[in-house]
């Protein structure tokens, strides 16, 4: 079962084509890695899927429904959520407040203004923070967290509303080895009952983690399939070498 | 806990202060206090946009002046107060709807452009449409049926109670999860959208709420001062209101209210000196250097640097 399909999705910036006629099939569970050298169009493609950027041409189907023209907030509400390559959370809000913000989304404005539901949201936020080991920093400004904790919080926020498609843009960049391992295990566990699209530079990490790998080069897909098959693909190999140098 | 306690204390002190004023102040000063409360209410309405949601409303006088003119024009035409108030409500809502729609349609700088230009445009219209607004000469509302027909104490009481109730309502709003969303939109609108919030809708909503509060202030002003001029919708008042908010401290409600009162008092006190703008300018420099996040946050900032020095 596919949760997301793109048909000939392209995006241009002026004359430059950053994403070129991409057909992507994302399964409903598991990790689908997007790899390719810097500037290959990975972040742009994620932006198109999330709705941060409109496509120049092509179509995006989510759970069989055409979402190509759906704005970002409407896509979020049907279960597409994302993290950013550069984490910026809510400076001035605490972790608890950020979590409340994520959790309260599906309540009515009336509930936002009523003491009962407000207390409930706060309690739920604390529960969720405990579940991801962030309760200790509940009162800390999101901007003052360490980079690793910001990434963890960002993913916890993206998951607060039981999203079914999680788009992660280089979540492991800038992390220590031990932090990477923790995050990799977490992503692995999450992929059991949702789809995860993972942009990642660390080829070894990708190969051990992903169920499917798609290689982008100059905005186009040059290989896609099992990690083992992609590794054997000669064209993909030449791109790896480039990517290896670039990073 | 200590914080919450000190906050309810400051509320109690404010309430006592406001109730004692009419007992101790002579009429002239009580009238001045009434007017300051109205400007404070106007400043509060702007803080909801500028301070809490990060919406730079640089034409906020429109929301104050148009309902004020509506009341003035209808009363002058000989209709009873209740009709004038109803027309003012309609005028305030329409202004909020139209301007809110136009200003939030485009993100970021679009909000400044739309509100600032609208303020200029409405100012020019109010200035030149002499038949309706009195143009250059202004519009004078006769005493009957206005706050001026009451005793100074009664007029003060009406304004003070309205301001206090609206303040409490605004305080509840900004402390609710709705207020949390507003601050979320201010600090990271893109992420709020990615979380599933149609941020444009909430920016539109809070613009209308703010416009209605500014409209109440404008109506109270019209009924108290009874003399309206085009400045009340113009860019000068709009800009001054932004300064009140920044001076007092954004995102605090109380700060902008005190900022408005302080600014006007200083302006009035120095008015007799010809060089008074220089003193105002110096005040701004003091604020920018020692209290860049506003006067209300000055004690906290001083306390912090004091503690830092002592623990070093
Ligand atoms: N907003 C933009 N305007 C112009 N060019 C852009 C924009 N975003 C990305 N690009 C260009 O598109 C190409 C792909 O960028 P990106 O998707 O960020 O690559 P990746 O994430 O694979 O490193 C790059 O050459 C980049 O310069
Ligand atoms: Mg990228």
């Amino acid at each position: 079962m596919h949760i997301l399909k793109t048909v000939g999705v392209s995006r241009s910036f002026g004359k430059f084509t950053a994403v070129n006629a991409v057909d992507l099939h994302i399964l409903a569970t598991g990790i689908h890695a997007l790899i390719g050298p810097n500037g290959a169009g990975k972040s742009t493609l994620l932006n198109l899927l999330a709705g941060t950027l409109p496509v120049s041409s092509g179509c995006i189907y989510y759970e069989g429904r055409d979402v190509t023209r759906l704005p970002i907030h409407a896509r979020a509400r049907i279960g597409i959520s994302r993290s950013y390559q550069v984490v910026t959370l809510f400076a001035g809000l605490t972790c608890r407040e950020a979590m409340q913000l994520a959790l309260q989304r599906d309540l009515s404005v009336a509930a936002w203004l009523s003491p009962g539901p407000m207390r409930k949201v706060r309690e739920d936020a604390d529960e969720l923070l405990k579940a991801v080991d962030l309760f200790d920093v509940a009162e800390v400004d999101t901007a003052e967290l360490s980079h690793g904790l910001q990434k963890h919080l960002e993913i916890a926020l993206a998951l607060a509303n039981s999203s079914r498609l999680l788009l992660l843009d280089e979540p492991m960049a800038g992390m220590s080895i031990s932090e990477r391992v923790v995050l990799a295990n977490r992503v692995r566990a999450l992929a059991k009952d949702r789809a995860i699209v993972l942009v990642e530079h660390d080829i070894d990490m990708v190969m051990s983690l992903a169920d499917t790998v798609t290689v982008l080069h100059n905005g186009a897909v040059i290989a896609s399939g099992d990690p083992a098959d992609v590794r054997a693909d000669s064209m993909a190999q030449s791109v790896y070498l480039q990517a290896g140098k670039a990073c | 806990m200590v914080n919450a306690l000190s906050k309810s204390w400051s509320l109690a002190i404010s309430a006592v202060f406001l109730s004692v004023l009419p007992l101790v102040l002579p009429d002239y000063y009580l009238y001045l206090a009434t007017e300051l409360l109205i400007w404070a209410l106007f400043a509060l309405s702007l803080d909801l946009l500028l301070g809490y949601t990060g919406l730079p409303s640089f034409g906020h006088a429109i929301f104050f002046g148009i309902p004020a003119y509506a009341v003035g024009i209808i009363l002058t035409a000989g209709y009873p107060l209740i009709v004038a108030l109803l027309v003012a409500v309609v005028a305030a809502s329409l202004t909020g709807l139209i301007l809110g729609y136009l200003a939030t349609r485009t993100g970021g700088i679009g909000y400044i452009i739309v509100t600032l230009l609208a303020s200029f445009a409405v100012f020019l219209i109010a200035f030149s449409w002499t038949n309706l607004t009195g143009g250059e000469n202004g519009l004078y509302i006769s005493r009957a049926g206005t706050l001026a027909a009451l005793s100074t104490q009664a007029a003060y009481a009406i304004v003070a109670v309205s301001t206090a109730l609206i303040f409490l309502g605004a305080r509840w709003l900004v402390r609710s999860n709705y207020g949390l969303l507003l601050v979320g939109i201010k600090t990271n609108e893109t992420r709020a959208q990615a979380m599933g919030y149609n941020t444009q809708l909430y920016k539109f909503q809070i613009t209308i709420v703010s416009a209605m509060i500014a409209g109440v202030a404008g109506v109270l002003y019209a009924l108290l001062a009874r003399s309206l001029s085009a400045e009340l919708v113009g860019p000068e008042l709009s800009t001054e209101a932004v300064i009140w908010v920044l001076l007092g401290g954004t995102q605090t409600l109380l700060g902008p209210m005190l900022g408005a009162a302080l600014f006007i008092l200083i302006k009035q006190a120095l008015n007799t000196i010809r060089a008074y703008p220089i003193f105002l300018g110096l005040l701004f420099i003091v604020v920018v250097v020692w209290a860049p996040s506003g006067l209300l946050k000055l004690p906290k900032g001083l306390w912090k640097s004091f503690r830092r020095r002592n623990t070093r």
Side-chain angles (χ1 to χ4, degrees), chain A residues 65-96:
Chain A
R65 171 180 171 197
D66 186 349
V67 297
T68 316
R69 305 263 164 263
L70 219 53
I72 179 166
H73 59 85
R75 287 194 212 183
R77 279 176 186 265
I78 57 173
I80 304 178
S81 59
R82 66 166 302 176
S83 76
Y84 292 85
Q85 184 167 358
V86 179
V87 196
T88 48
L89 291 161
F90 297 100
L93 295 190
T94 64
C95 295
R96 175 186 291 125

PDB file of all heavy atoms in Angstrom, chain A residues 65-96:
ATOM      1  N   ARG A  65      -5.661  10.677  -2.644  1.00  0.00           N
ATOM      2  CA  ARG A  65      -6.320  11.964  -2.865  1.00  0.00           C
ATOM      3  C   ARG A  65      -5.322  12.956  -3.456  1.00  0.00           C
ATOM      4  O   ARG A  65      -4.167  12.997  -3.039  1.00  0.00           O
ATOM      5  CB  ARG A  65      -6.838  12.449  -1.508  1.00  0.00           C
ATOM      6  CG  ARG A  65      -7.354  13.848  -1.487  1.00  0.00           C
ATOM      7  CD  ARG A  65      -7.818  14.170  -0.073  1.00  0.00           C
ATOM      8  NE  ARG A  65      -8.118  15.591   0.014  1.00  0.00           N
ATOM      9  CZ  ARG A  65      -8.236  16.243   1.143  1.00  0.00           C
ATOM     10  NH1 ARG A  65      -8.087  15.607   2.291  1.00  0.00           N
ATOM     11  NH2 ARG A  65      -8.509  17.524   1.138  1.00  0.00           N
ATOM     12  N   ASP A  66      -5.767  13.736  -4.425  1.00  0.00           N
ATOM     13  CA  ASP A  66      -4.888  14.730  -5.033  1.00  0.00           C
ATOM     14  C   ASP A  66      -4.705  15.902  -4.055  1.00  0.00           C
ATOM     15  O   ASP A  66      -5.650  16.620  -3.760  1.00  0.00           O
ATOM     16  CB  ASP A  66      -5.497  15.222  -6.348  1.00  0.00           C
ATOM     17  CG  ASP A  66      -4.544  16.152  -7.097  1.00  0.00           C
ATOM     18  OD1 ASP A  66      -3.534  16.571  -6.514  1.00  0.00           O
ATOM     19  OD2 ASP A  66      -4.831  16.442  -8.284  1.00  0.00           O
ATOM     20  N   VAL A  67      -3.486  16.065  -3.554  1.00  0.00           N
ATOM     21  CA  VAL A  67      -3.234  17.130  -2.584  1.00  0.00           C
ATOM     22  C   VAL A  67      -2.322  18.215  -3.169  1.00  0.00           C
ATOM     23  O   VAL A  67      -1.823  19.059  -2.435  1.00  0.00           O
ATOM     24  CB  VAL A  67      -2.603  16.569  -1.287  1.00  0.00           C
ATOM     25  CG1 VAL A  67      -3.539  15.607  -0.604  1.00  0.00           C
ATOM     26  CG2 VAL A  67      -1.260  15.908  -1.566  1.00  0.00           C
ATOM     27  N   THR A  68      -2.141  18.156  -4.494  1.00  0.00           N
ATOM     28  CA  THR A  68      -1.164  19.053  -5.124  1.00  0.00           C
ATOM     29  C   THR A  68      -1.409  20.516  -4.770  1.00  0.00           C
ATOM     30  O   THR A  68      -0.481  21.280  -4.565  1.00  0.00           O
ATOM     31  CB  THR A  68      -1.203  18.881  -6.660  1.00  0.00           C
ATOM     32  OG1 THR A  68      -1.265  17.497  -6.945  1.00  0.00           O
ATOM     33  CG2 THR A  68       0.016  19.498  -7.299  1.00  0.00           C
ATOM     34  N   ARG A  69      -2.664  20.918  -4.713  1.00  0.00           N
ATOM     35  CA  ARG A  69      -2.974  22.336  -4.474  1.00  0.00           C
ATOM     36  C   ARG A  69      -3.332  22.628  -3.013  1.00  0.00           C
ATOM     37  O   ARG A  69      -3.731  23.740  -2.689  1.00  0.00           O
ATOM     38  CB  ARG A  69      -4.148  22.782  -5.364  1.00  0.00           C
ATOM     39  CG  ARG A  69      -3.939  22.539  -6.819  1.00  0.00           C
ATOM     40  CD  ARG A  69      -3.429  23.779  -7.564  1.00  0.00           C
ATOM     41  NE  ARG A  69      -2.890  23.391  -8.867  1.00  0.00           N
ATOM     42  CZ  ARG A  69      -1.586  23.191  -9.096  1.00  0.00           C
ATOM     43  NH1 ARG A  69      -0.705  23.351  -8.154  1.00  0.00           N
ATOM     44  NH2 ARG A  69      -1.170  22.829 -10.293  1.00  0.00           N
ATOM     45  N   LEU A  70      -3.232  21.619  -2.161  1.00  0.00           N
ATOM     46  CA  LEU A  70      -3.613  21.813  -0.756  1.00  0.00           C
ATOM     47  C   LEU A  70      -2.533  22.634  -0.025  1.00  0.00           C
ATOM     48  O   LEU A  70      -1.358  22.303  -0.127  1.00  0.00           O
ATOM     49  CB  LEU A  70      -3.754  20.436  -0.109  1.00  0.00           C
ATOM     50  CG  LEU A  70      -4.892  20.191   0.883  1.00  0.00           C
ATOM     51  CD1 LEU A  70      -6.232  20.568   0.273  1.00  0.00           C
ATOM     52  CD2 LEU A  70      -4.896  18.732   1.307  1.00  0.00           C
ATOM     53  N   PRO A  71      -2.921  23.678   0.720  1.00  0.00           N
ATOM     54  CA  PRO A  71      -1.905  24.443   1.442  1.00  0.00           C
ATOM     55  C   PRO A  71      -1.283  23.624   2.566  1.00  0.00           C
ATOM     56  O   PRO A  71      -1.847  22.618   3.016  1.00  0.00           O
ATOM     57  CB  PRO A  71      -2.658  25.647   1.994  1.00  0.00           C
ATOM     58  CG  PRO A  71      -4.086  25.243   2.000  1.00  0.00           C
ATOM     59  CD  PRO A  71      -4.259  24.252   0.887  1.00  0.00           C
ATOM     60  N   ILE A  72      -0.144  24.085   3.050  1.00  0.00           N
ATOM     61  CA  ILE A  72       0.646  23.317   4.018  1.00  0.00           C
ATOM     62  C   ILE A  72      -0.155  22.953   5.267  1.00  0.00           C
ATOM     63  O   ILE A  72      -0.111  21.824   5.756  1.00  0.00           O
ATOM     64  CB  ILE A  72       1.948  24.069   4.381  1.00  0.00           C
ATOM     65  CG1 ILE A  72       2.753  23.279   5.405  1.00  0.00           C
ATOM     66  CG2 ILE A  72       1.701  25.481   4.864  1.00  0.00           C
ATOM     67  CD1 ILE A  72       4.170  23.757   5.574  1.00  0.00           C
ATOM     68  N   HIS A  73      -0.954  23.909   5.797  1.00  0.00           N
ATOM     69  CA  HIS A  73      -1.664  23.614   7.043  1.00  0.00           C
ATOM     70  C   HIS A  73      -2.741  22.559   6.836  1.00  0.00           C
ATOM     71  O   HIS A  73      -3.002  21.749   7.723  1.00  0.00           O
ATOM     72  CB  HIS A  73      -2.248  24.901   7.644  1.00  0.00           C
ATOM     73  CG  HIS A  73      -3.208  25.623   6.754  1.00  0.00           C
ATOM     74  ND1 HIS A  73      -4.542  25.297   6.702  1.00  0.00           N
ATOM     75  CD2 HIS A  73      -3.024  26.633   5.874  1.00  0.00           C
ATOM     76  CE1 HIS A  73      -5.139  26.103   5.829  1.00  0.00           C
ATOM     77  NE2 HIS A  73      -4.252  26.921   5.313  1.00  0.00           N
ATOM     78  N   ALA A  74      -3.323  22.534   5.637  1.00  0.00           N
ATOM     79  CA  ALA A  74      -4.339  21.518   5.366  1.00  0.00           C
ATOM     80  C   ALA A  74      -3.685  20.147   5.205  1.00  0.00           C
ATOM     81  O   ALA A  74      -4.227  19.126   5.635  1.00  0.00           O
ATOM     82  CB  ALA A  74      -5.128  21.901   4.118  1.00  0.00           C
ATOM     83  N   ARG A  75      -2.495  20.108   4.614  1.00  0.00           N
ATOM     84  CA  ARG A  75      -1.782  18.820   4.496  1.00  0.00           C
ATOM     85  C   ARG A  75      -1.385  18.315   5.881  1.00  0.00           C
ATOM     86  O   ARG A  75      -1.442  17.119   6.149  1.00  0.00           O
ATOM     87  CB  ARG A  75      -0.530  18.991   3.626  1.00  0.00           C
ATOM     88  CG  ARG A  75      -0.884  19.164   2.171  1.00  0.00           C
ATOM     89  CD  ARG A  75       0.324  19.001   1.293  1.00  0.00           C
ATOM     90  NE  ARG A  75       0.183  19.863   0.124  1.00  0.00           N
ATOM     91  CZ  ARG A  75       1.038  19.911  -0.875  1.00  0.00           C
ATOM     92  NH1 ARG A  75       2.108  19.148  -0.864  1.00  0.00           N
ATOM     93  NH2 ARG A  75       0.840  20.711  -1.900  1.00  0.00           N
ATOM     94  N   ALA A  76      -0.975  19.234   6.755  1.00  0.00           N
ATOM     95  CA  ALA A  76      -0.602  18.820   8.112  1.00  0.00           C
ATOM     96  C   ALA A  76      -1.797  18.169   8.802  1.00  0.00           C
ATOM     97  O   ALA A  76      -1.659  17.172   9.505  1.00  0.00           O
ATOM     98  CB  ALA A  76      -0.103  20.016   8.898  1.00  0.00           C
ATOM     99  N   ARG A  77      -2.978  18.727   8.577  1.00  0.00           N
ATOM    100  CA  ARG A  77      -4.157  18.214   9.261  1.00  0.00           C
ATOM    101  C   ARG A  77      -4.569  16.828   8.788  1.00  0.00           C
ATOM    102  O   ARG A  77      -5.287  16.119   9.491  1.00  0.00           O
ATOM    103  CB  ARG A  77      -5.334  19.186   9.113  1.00  0.00           C
ATOM    104  CG  ARG A  77      -5.228  20.322  10.103  1.00  0.00           C
ATOM    105  CD  ARG A  77      -6.304  21.344   9.925  1.00  0.00           C
ATOM    106  NE  ARG A  77      -6.036  22.470  10.814  1.00  0.00           N
ATOM    107  CZ  ARG A  77      -6.574  22.610  12.019  1.00  0.00           C
ATOM    108  NH1 ARG A  77      -7.446  21.724  12.464  1.00  0.00           N
ATOM    109  NH2 ARG A  77      -6.257  23.637  12.765  1.00  0.00           N
ATOM    110  N   ILE A  78      -4.166  16.430   7.570  1.00  0.00           N
ATOM    111  CA  ILE A  78      -4.505  15.072   7.137  1.00  0.00           C
ATOM    112  C   ILE A  78      -3.347  14.116   7.387  1.00  0.00           C
ATOM    113  O   ILE A  78      -3.385  12.977   6.928  1.00  0.00           O
ATOM    114  CB  ILE A  78      -4.976  15.033   5.664  1.00  0.00           C
ATOM    115  CG1 ILE A  78      -3.915  15.630   4.749  1.00  0.00           C
ATOM    116  CG2 ILE A  78      -6.306  15.745   5.505  1.00  0.00           C
ATOM    117  CD1 ILE A  78      -4.238  15.478   3.274  1.00  0.00           C
ATOM    118  N   GLY A  79      -2.308  14.560   8.102  1.00  0.00           N
ATOM    119  CA  GLY A  79      -1.318  13.585   8.573  1.00  0.00           C
ATOM    120  C   GLY A  79       0.069  13.689   7.989  1.00  0.00           C
ATOM    121  O   GLY A  79       0.892  12.808   8.183  1.00  0.00           O
ATOM    122  N   ILE A  80       0.364  14.780   7.245  1.00  0.00           N
ATOM    123  CA  ILE A  80       1.721  14.960   6.732  1.00  0.00           C
ATOM    124  C   ILE A  80       2.450  15.927   7.646  1.00  0.00           C
ATOM    125  O   ILE A  80       2.006  17.054   7.824  1.00  0.00           O
ATOM    126  CB  ILE A  80       1.703  15.541   5.300  1.00  0.00           C
ATOM    127  CG1 ILE A  80       0.875  14.653   4.378  1.00  0.00           C
ATOM    128  CG2 ILE A  80       3.125  15.719   4.777  1.00  0.00           C
ATOM    129  CD1 ILE A  80       0.771  15.172   2.949  1.00  0.00           C
ATOM    130  N   SER A  81       3.529  15.470   8.269  1.00  0.00           N
ATOM    131  CA  SER A  81       4.276  16.441   9.077  1.00  0.00           C
ATOM    132  C   SER A  81       5.752  16.330   8.778  1.00  0.00           C
ATOM    133  O   SER A  81       6.212  15.369   8.180  1.00  0.00           O
ATOM    134  CB  SER A  81       3.983  16.272  10.553  1.00  0.00           C
ATOM    135  OG  SER A  81       4.315  14.982  10.949  1.00  0.00           O
ATOM    136  N   ARG A  82       6.500  17.349   9.198  1.00  0.00           N
ATOM    137  CA  ARG A  82       7.865  17.441   8.717  1.00  0.00           C
ATOM    138  C   ARG A  82       8.800  18.043   9.752  1.00  0.00           C
ATOM    139  O   ARG A  82       8.378  18.682  10.711  1.00  0.00           O
ATOM    140  CB  ARG A  82       7.897  18.315   7.471  1.00  0.00           C
ATOM    141  CG  ARG A  82       7.522  19.764   7.775  1.00  0.00           C
ATOM    142  CD  ARG A  82       7.878  20.677   6.630  1.00  0.00           C
ATOM    143  NE  ARG A  82       9.307  20.588   6.350  1.00  0.00           N
ATOM    144  CZ  ARG A  82       9.905  21.217   5.340  1.00  0.00           C
ATOM    145  NH1 ARG A  82       9.200  21.964   4.540  1.00  0.00           N
ATOM    146  NH2 ARG A  82      11.190  21.095   5.160  1.00  0.00           N
ATOM    147  N   SER A  83      10.087  17.812   9.538  1.00  0.00           N
ATOM    148  CA  SER A  83      11.104  18.546  10.286  1.00  0.00           C
ATOM    149  C   SER A  83      11.924  19.323   9.270  1.00  0.00           C
ATOM    150  O   SER A  83      11.891  19.033   8.085  1.00  0.00           O
ATOM    151  CB  SER A  83      12.006  17.588  11.050  1.00  0.00           C
ATOM    152  OG  SER A  83      12.916  16.971  10.168  1.00  0.00           O
ATOM    153  N   TYR A  84      12.652  20.327   9.764  1.00  0.00           N
ATOM    154  CA  TYR A  84      13.418  21.183   8.860  1.00  0.00           C
ATOM    155  C   TYR A  84      14.904  20.879   8.962  1.00  0.00           C
ATOM    156  O   TYR A  84      15.390  20.458  10.003  1.00  0.00           O
ATOM    157  CB  TYR A  84      13.170  22.647   9.200  1.00  0.00           C
ATOM    158  CG  TYR A  84      11.771  23.098   8.899  1.00  0.00           C
ATOM    159  CD1 TYR A  84      10.751  22.905   9.823  1.00  0.00           C
ATOM    160  CD2 TYR A  84      11.453  23.709   7.690  1.00  0.00           C
ATOM    161  CE1 TYR A  84       9.460  23.313   9.551  1.00  0.00           C
ATOM    162  CE2 TYR A  84      10.174  24.122   7.407  1.00  0.00           C
ATOM    163  CZ  TYR A  84       9.175  23.924   8.339  1.00  0.00           C
ATOM    164  OH  TYR A  84       7.899  24.317   8.070  1.00  0.00           O
ATOM    165  N   GLN A  85      15.606  21.137   7.835  1.00  0.00           N
ATOM    166  CA  GLN A  85      17.052  20.917   7.842  1.00  0.00           C
ATOM    167  C   GLN A  85      17.716  21.833   8.873  1.00  0.00           C
ATOM    168  O   GLN A  85      18.604  21.426   9.601  1.00  0.00           O
ATOM    169  CB  GLN A  85      17.616  21.183   6.442  1.00  0.00           C
ATOM    170  CG  GLN A  85      19.097  20.869   6.346  1.00  0.00           C
ATOM    171  CD  GLN A  85      19.575  20.822   4.905  1.00  0.00           C
ATOM    172  OE1 GLN A  85      18.800  20.983   3.959  1.00  0.00           O
ATOM    173  NE2 GLN A  85      20.849  20.593   4.723  1.00  0.00           N
ATOM    174  N   VAL A  86      17.242  23.086   8.928  1.00  0.00           N
ATOM    175  CA  VAL A  86      17.715  24.007   9.954  1.00  0.00           C
ATOM    176  C   VAL A  86      16.604  24.139  10.995  1.00  0.00           C
ATOM    177  O   VAL A  86      15.518  24.622  10.690  1.00  0.00           O
ATOM    178  CB  VAL A  86      18.027  25.390   9.348  1.00  0.00           C
ATOM    179  CG1 VAL A  86      18.499  26.334  10.430  1.00  0.00           C
ATOM    180  CG2 VAL A  86      19.061  25.259   8.241  1.00  0.00           C
ATOM    181  N   VAL A  87      16.872  23.631  12.207  1.00  0.00           N
ATOM    182  CA  VAL A  87      15.814  23.629  13.208  1.00  0.00           C
ATOM    183  C   VAL A  87      15.620  25.043  13.741  1.00  0.00           C
ATOM    184  O   VAL A  87      16.552  25.641  14.274  1.00  0.00           O
ATOM    185  CB  VAL A  87      16.176  22.742  14.413  1.00  0.00           C
ATOM    186  CG1 VAL A  87      14.927  22.438  15.225  1.00  0.00           C
ATOM    187  CG2 VAL A  87      16.836  21.482  13.973  1.00  0.00           C
ATOM    188  N   THR A  88      14.413  25.571  13.607  1.00  0.00           N
ATOM    189  CA  THR A  88      14.054  26.755  14.374  1.00  0.00           C
ATOM    190  C   THR A  88      12.722  26.427  15.019  1.00  0.00           C
ATOM    191  O   THR A  88      11.746  26.163  14.345  1.00  0.00           O
ATOM    192  CB  THR A  88      13.898  28.003  13.500  1.00  0.00           C
ATOM    193  OG1 THR A  88      13.079  27.668  12.392  1.00  0.00           O
ATOM    194  CG2 THR A  88      15.234  28.526  13.017  1.00  0.00           C
ATOM    195  N   LEU A  89      12.723  26.415  16.353  1.00  0.00           N
ATOM    196  CA  LEU A  89      11.484  26.084  17.052  1.00  0.00           C
ATOM    197  C   LEU A  89      10.767  27.391  17.389  1.00  0.00           C
ATOM    198  O   LEU A  89      10.764  28.302  16.574  1.00  0.00           O
ATOM    199  CB  LEU A  89      11.811  25.238  18.278  1.00  0.00           C
ATOM    200  CG  LEU A  89      12.320  23.843  17.876  1.00  0.00           C
ATOM    201  CD1 LEU A  89      13.060  23.175  19.003  1.00  0.00           C
ATOM    202  CD2 LEU A  89      11.164  22.970  17.419  1.00  0.00           C
ATOM    203  N   PHE A  90      10.180  27.488  18.551  1.00  0.00           N
ATOM    204  CA  PHE A  90       9.452  28.697  18.915  1.00  0.00           C
ATOM    205  C   PHE A  90      10.224  29.444  20.000  1.00  0.00           C
ATOM    206  O   PHE A  90       9.990  29.237  21.186  1.00  0.00           O
ATOM    207  CB  PHE A  90       8.052  28.345  19.411  1.00  0.00           C
ATOM    208  CG  PHE A  90       7.190  27.697  18.372  1.00  0.00           C
ATOM    209  CD1 PHE A  90       7.014  26.327  18.343  1.00  0.00           C
ATOM    210  CD2 PHE A  90       6.544  28.472  17.420  1.00  0.00           C
ATOM    211  CE1 PHE A  90       6.210  25.740  17.383  1.00  0.00           C
ATOM    212  CE2 PHE A  90       5.744  27.889  16.457  1.00  0.00           C
ATOM    213  CZ  PHE A  90       5.580  26.516  16.438  1.00  0.00           C
ATOM    214  N   ALA A  91      11.164  30.311  19.587  1.00  0.00           N
ATOM    215  CA  ALA A  91      11.936  31.073  20.566  1.00  0.00           C
ATOM    216  C   ALA A  91      10.976  31.855  21.459  1.00  0.00           C
ATOM    217  O   ALA A  91      10.037  32.480  20.975  1.00  0.00           O
ATOM    218  CB  ALA A  91      12.887  32.032  19.856  1.00  0.00           C
ATOM    219  N   GLY A  92      11.206  31.776  22.773  1.00  0.00           N
ATOM    220  CA  GLY A  92      10.319  32.486  23.697  1.00  0.00           C
ATOM    221  C   GLY A  92       9.244  31.580  24.278  1.00  0.00           C
ATOM    222  O   GLY A  92       8.653  31.902  25.298  1.00  0.00           O
ATOM    223  N   LEU A  93       8.980  30.441  23.628  1.00  0.00           N
ATOM    224  CA  LEU A  93       8.040  29.464  24.201  1.00  0.00           C
ATOM    225  C   LEU A  93       8.844  28.333  24.837  1.00  0.00           C
ATOM    226  O   LEU A  93       9.900  27.950  24.337  1.00  0.00           O
ATOM    227  CB  LEU A  93       7.121  28.884  23.130  1.00  0.00           C
ATOM    228  CG  LEU A  93       6.144  29.820  22.429  1.00  0.00           C
ATOM    229  CD1 LEU A  93       5.166  29.007  21.581  1.00  0.00           C
ATOM    230  CD2 LEU A  93       5.376  30.678  23.412  1.00  0.00           C
ATOM    231  N   THR A  94       8.313  27.798  25.931  1.00  0.00           N
ATOM    232  CA  THR A  94       8.968  26.657  26.559  1.00  0.00           C
ATOM    233  C   THR A  94       8.620  25.386  25.790  1.00  0.00           C
ATOM    234  O   THR A  94       7.715  25.376  24.951  1.00  0.00           O
ATOM    235  CB  THR A  94       8.506  26.489  28.008  1.00  0.00           C
ATOM    236  OG1 THR A  94       7.107  26.185  27.982  1.00  0.00           O
ATOM    237  CG2 THR A  94       8.732  27.749  28.819  1.00  0.00           C
ATOM    238  N   CYS A  95       9.352  24.310  26.104  1.00  0.00           N
ATOM    239  CA  CYS A  95       9.077  23.027  25.455  1.00  0.00           C
ATOM    240  C   CYS A  95       7.629  22.606  25.702  1.00  0.00           C
ATOM    241  O   CYS A  95       6.941  22.095  24.812  1.00  0.00           O
ATOM    242  CB  CYS A  95      10.010  21.960  25.991  1.00  0.00           C
ATOM    243  SG  CYS A  95      11.718  22.271  25.579  1.00  0.00           S
ATOM    244  N   ARG A  96       7.157  22.828  26.936  1.00  0.00           N
ATOM    245  CA  ARG A  96       5.788  22.450  27.247  1.00  0.00           C
ATOM    246  C   ARG A  96       4.804  23.243  26.384  1.00  0.00           C
ATOM    247  O   ARG A  96       3.867  22.689  25.820  1.00  0.00           O
ATOM    248  CB  ARG A  96       5.481  22.684  28.722  1.00  0.00           C
ATOM    249  CG  ARG A  96       4.007  22.409  29.060  1.00  0.00           C
ATOM    250  CD  ARG A  96       3.642  22.776  30.472  1.00  0.00           C
ATOM    251  NE  ARG A  96       4.271  21.887  31.432  1.00  0.00           N
ATOM    252  CZ  ARG A  96       5.032  22.300  32.437  1.00  0.00           C
ATOM    253  NH1 ARG A  96       5.247  23.591  32.607  1.00  0.00           N
ATOM    254  NH2 ARG A  96       5.552  21.431  33.268  1.00  0.00           N
TER     255      ARG A  96
END
